[in-house]
Amino acid sequence: AQSVSQHNHHVILSEAASLELGCNYSYGGTVNLFWYVQYPGQHLQLLLKYFSGDPLVKGIKGFEAEFIKSKFSFNLRKPSVQWSDTAEYFCAVNVLYGNNRLAFGKGNQVVVIP
Amino acid sequence: GAGVSQTPSNKVTEKGKYVELRCDPISGHTALYWYRQSLGQGPEFLIYFQGTGAADDSGLPNDRFFAVRPEGSVSTLKIQRTERGDSAVYLCASSLEVGERADLNEQFFGPGTRLTVL
């Protein structure tokens, strides 16, 4: 079964700092990769996704993620965070040609201090 | 258009009781998924429907949990003899289809039902 690892569960940053959240997965086949965000009091929303092609993916709100196949990683980055980026971030993986079930990491709770 | 909706948004019940949680997927989405999110964890897969049939129920924790989707649209997750450990947020998601087109497999999540078992 796939597993997804996210480290540094709690991250506290000041506004304008750079953010990088690590995500590593265990499955060796062809995968789809996702980052979801959950703002306080809201439901899960898709931040960005990788299916194929350019391994550097740009998502909403200035976020980007890089797929490095050799490292089984899909790290999320944002050069300059804002207070409104305070949220929980989840990395997720599913298997192409599988049953589409998503395997999620434990999440990163990010707090941006104004 | 409308997104995935779930009712109720909150459910408080007593240990041993029976509960039903409802999910309305996005219209036209053939695939429907249930996940459970415990405090401090990411969502965990429970069951997946393709149309009316449960294509994969391997994530259901035990036989107290059951889900149906009789007409291929609305789904109900049923939990019998609830236990305190069942307390969690139950999430529903839907996708247009499941197949070779990864872009059509994208899952859209509902707001969840927060279940509290006292």
Side-chain angles (χ1 to χ4, degrees):
Chain A
Q2 307 111 285
S3 68
V4 180
S5 298
Q6 292 181 246
H7 308 290
N8 302 321
H9 185 64
H10 294 281
V11 177
I12 301 175
L13 301 167
S14 298
E15 276 193 315
S18 64
L19 173 67
E20 179 159 0
L21 302 177
C23 174
N24 290 89
Y25 62 94
S26 65
Y27 187 72
T30 303
V31 295
N32 301 316
L33 298 155
F34 307 84
W35 277 96
Y36 283 86
V37 61
Q38 190 166 24
Y39 297 104
Q42 298 187 25
H43 60 276
L44 277 172
Q45 301 171 41
L46 184 66
L47 198 55
L48 49 76
K49 59 193 176 189
Y50 173 80
F51 293 150
S52 63
D54 188 344
L56 185 61
V57 179
K58 295 195 183 296
I60 60 172
K61 303 187 180 185
F63 284 90
E64 65 178 31
E66 185 175 13
F67 171 50
I68 303 180
K69 189 175 182 180
S70 61
K71 295 185 177 180
F72 298 90
S73 70
F74 189 55
N75 294 352
L76 180 71
R77 298 192 290 256
K78 184 169 182 178
S80 176
V81 295
Q82 300 173 312
W83 173 78
S84 59
D85 294 322
T86 294
E88 191 150 20
Y89 295 80
F90 294 94
C91 182
V93 175
N94 71 6
V95 176
L96 192 61
Y97 307 123
N99 66 5
N100 211 32
R101 60 191 286 179
L102 287 169
F104 284 86
K106 290 188 175 182
N108 297 104
Q109 182 65 56
V110 174
V111 175
V112 180
I113 301 170
Chain B
V4 178
S5 63
Q6 293 185 246
T7 54
S9 55
N10 281 284
K11 176 70 177 178
V12 179
T13 191
E14 294 179 341
K15 181 175 179 294
K17 299 289 188 182
Y18 168 83
V19 296
E20 291 189 351
L21 312 179
R22 177 187 166 109
C23 172
D24 269 282
I26 294 173
S27 178
H29 280 196
T30 63
L32 184 147
Y33 316 80
W34 283 98
Y35 294 84
R36 178 169 73 172
Q37 186 174 13
S38 301
L39 196 62
Q41 304 292 320
E44 294 178 300
F45 171 80
L46 295 176
I47 186 170
Y48 144 64
F49 287 89
Q50 180 64 33
T52 59
D56 182 355
D57 64 358
S58 61
L60 295 177
N62 52 60
D63 61 6
R64 293 187 298 106
F65 289 74
F66 189 70
V68 295
R69 195 186 184 200
E71 297 178 357
S73 179
V74 170
S75 176
T76 305
L77 179 66
K78 307 181 181 192
I79 311 174
Q80 297 177 319
R81 304 184 304 279
T82 51
E83 300 178 357
R84 292 194 180 87
D86 300 334
S87 296
V89 176
Y90 289 81
L91 297 169
C92 177
S94 69
S95 67
L96 191 58
E97 64 177 60
V98 175
E100 297 182 6
R101 288 276 305 276
D103 56 328
L104 301 181
N105 296 347
E106 180 180 335
Q107 294 181 33
F108 296 85
F109 282 81
T113 293
R114 182 175 297 279
L115 176 66
T116 303
V117 182
L118 300 177

